[in-house]
Amino acid sequence: MLTIVGNGAIGNLLALQCHHLQFDYRIVVRNQSPSEIRCQTVHQQEILRPVYQRSSDTIEQGLFILPLKAYQIIPAIGQFKSQLSAEVPLVLLHNGMVDHAQILELLPNNPILVATTSYGAFKPQYDGLNVTGIGATQAGWLRNSDDNLGYQQVFEKLLPPCSWHKDILQILWRKLAVNSVINPLTAIHNVANGELAKQPYRSTIMGVTKEISTLMNAVNLAVTQQELFANCMAIIEKTAGNYSSMHQDVQYKRKTEIENISGYVVSQGKQLSIPVPFNNELFEQVKKIETYYL
Ligand code: KPL
């Protein structure tokens, strides 16, 4: 049994995959949710009739997946903590960074898996799901227990191909660099990801990636600025036609994940006494945009 928290785009995509794989799943929701979801995947159109569960029931077994916005992760763990038995493995699936120390303290015994995916999905309307790109998933355990191989085999079928990493922090920081470049720049300039390949953005992308490589090296994560820069440019090219999640958040006047992306870089810069003016500037600009509508 898999429990999926919330019916965001990735939550619904996971439900659809469970349906295809004939995995027993529930989506935990607080509010009235659509009985049918019209799904447009890369290959076909289909109707998903999701299985829902009210948020008050106890969760005793199976993966407990949190495909949420980064700023919703810790409040959700606080909310479900008393309903989760200590053996239930959690899967944190989000953009940006969250405070892992706080999560490990909130849940002192549960196995915790962290994953990042490049699948593209959005909800064109309340009862719709558009899957815009088949991506790949990278995962690793923040806290493991000996008998989690079975869970690992289930998880890797959900958003394949899935690669496993002992040093998941390295992966999360590299994804953070991609998000720190693409998300704020596309939101501020109101452009699709591909526009960022143009010359005027180059010096900012160089600056943002230089600062993040310096921070990574300071916390003993081996990387070069050139690697981060090349990886960002490759993702810009690969997702050229897409609008980033932050661009969409701004367009629909929703809270963005800027605190967990550029904001995280800024807070690490302060903690390590490393100046991060490029990231700080992007952080301030997105915060300013948010103040117009939040
Ligand atoms: O993860 C993304 C996002 O939009 O949040 C990227 C990789 C930038 C793709 O758009």
Side-chain angles (χ1 to χ4, degrees):
M1 160 80 107
L2 289 98
T3 306
I4 300 163
V5 179
N7 59 350
I10 297 290
N12 284 344
L13 173 59
L14 288 168
L16 182 65
Q17 294 281 79
C18 287
H19 171 71
H20 289 162
L21 293 159
Q22 299 185 332
F23 285 171
D24 190 11
Y25 77 92
R26 302 276 181 279
I27 307 181
V28 182
V29 283
R30 251 188 267 177
N31 305 320
Q32 186 68 28
S33 295
S35 53
E36 291 191 343
I37 298 176
R38 275 175 289 156
C39 304
Q40 173 69 61
T41 65
V42 177
H43 306 295
Q44 57 181 347
Q45 287 183 332
E46 60 190 303
I47 301 279
L48 172 72
R49 292 181 184 81
V51 187
Y52 293 113
Q53 172 178 319
R54 284 279 150 202
S55 51
S56 55
D57 302 353
T58 304
I59 295 127
E60 277 165 10
Q61 47 155 334
L63 287 171
F64 186 73
I65 311 180
L66 298 144
L68 299 174
K69 292 284 191 188
Y71 55 81
Q72 296 172 323
I73 294 281
I74 290 184
I77 291 176
Q79 182 195 336
F80 288 104
K81 192 172 138 35
S82 60
Q83 290 156 243
L84 288 171
S85 76
E87 301 77 47
V88 170
L90 270 76
V91 182
L92 311 180
L93 189 57
H94 58 83
N95 263 343
M97 290 288 210
V98 296
D99 185 346
H100 289 154
Q102 194 180 349
I103 293 174
L104 293 169
E105 204 179 301
L106 275 168
L107 295 166
N109 300 305
N110 296 71
I112 297 173
L113 199 152
V114 191
T116 169
T117 188
S118 59
Y119 270 71
F122 71 96
K123 284 167 67 167
Q125 74 276 342
Y126 167 73
D127 60 351
L129 171 69
N130 275 24
V131 184
T132 51
I134 304 292
T137 305
Q138 293 174 294
W141 293 94
L142 207 58
R143 184 196 286 130
N144 201 353
S145 72
D146 296 339
D147 48 4
N148 280 332
L149 194 61
Y151 288 122
Q152 203 164 301
Q153 285 164 349
V154 167
F155 181 73
E156 66 191 18
K157 292 197 175 76
L158 294 175
L159 300 170
C162 178
S163 55
W164 292 94
H165 301 267
K166 283 222 154 54
D167 192 358
I168 190 66
L169 277 186
Q170 204 17 288
I171 304 297
L172 295 180
W173 270 92
R174 282 171 189 250
K175 178 76 190 316
L176 179 69
V178 170
N179 288 129
S180 299
V181 165
I182 302 182
N183 293 22
L185 281 174
T186 51
I188 294 163
H189 298 281
N190 189 14
V191 292
N193 295 359
E195 275 295 295
L196 304 183
K198 295 190 175 156
Q199 187 60 31
Y201 297 104
R202 192 154 280 252
S203 60
T204 307
I205 299 176
M206 296 277 263
V208 168
T209 49
K210 175 76 202 142
E211 290 170 6
I212 296 178
S213 67
T214 308
L215 291 176
M216 288 180 70
N217 295 160
V219 294
N220 291 324
L221 295 170
V223 78
T224 63
Q225 185 267 337
Q226 288 81 353
E227 278 176 82
L228 293 185
F229 181 83
N231 190 31
C232 284
M233 297 317 284
I235 305 233
I236 286 170
E237 201 180 310
K238 215 169 148 192
T239 62
N242 290 6
Y243 285 94
S244 78
S245 55
M246 194 171 287
H247 178 277
Q248 293 177 47
D249 287 339
V250 167
Q251 292 304 305
Y252 292 104
K253 300 191 170 18
R254 297 186 297 236
K255 182 174 160 67
T256 72
E257 294 177 290
I258 196 70
E259 295 277 356
N260 300 79
I261 298 177
S262 313
Y264 183 82
V265 175
V266 170
S267 74
Q268 291 296 299
K270 280 202 186 111
Q271 214 166 302
L272 298 161
S273 302
I274 293 171
V276 290
F278 280 95
N279 282 283
N280 196 49
E281 177 61 26
L282 296 181
F283 174 69
E284 296 294 342
Q285 287 191 43
V286 175
K287 289 301 280 181
K288 194 166 165 201
I289 295 172
E290 277 188 336
T291 59
Y292 294 131
Y293 61 80
L294 278 187

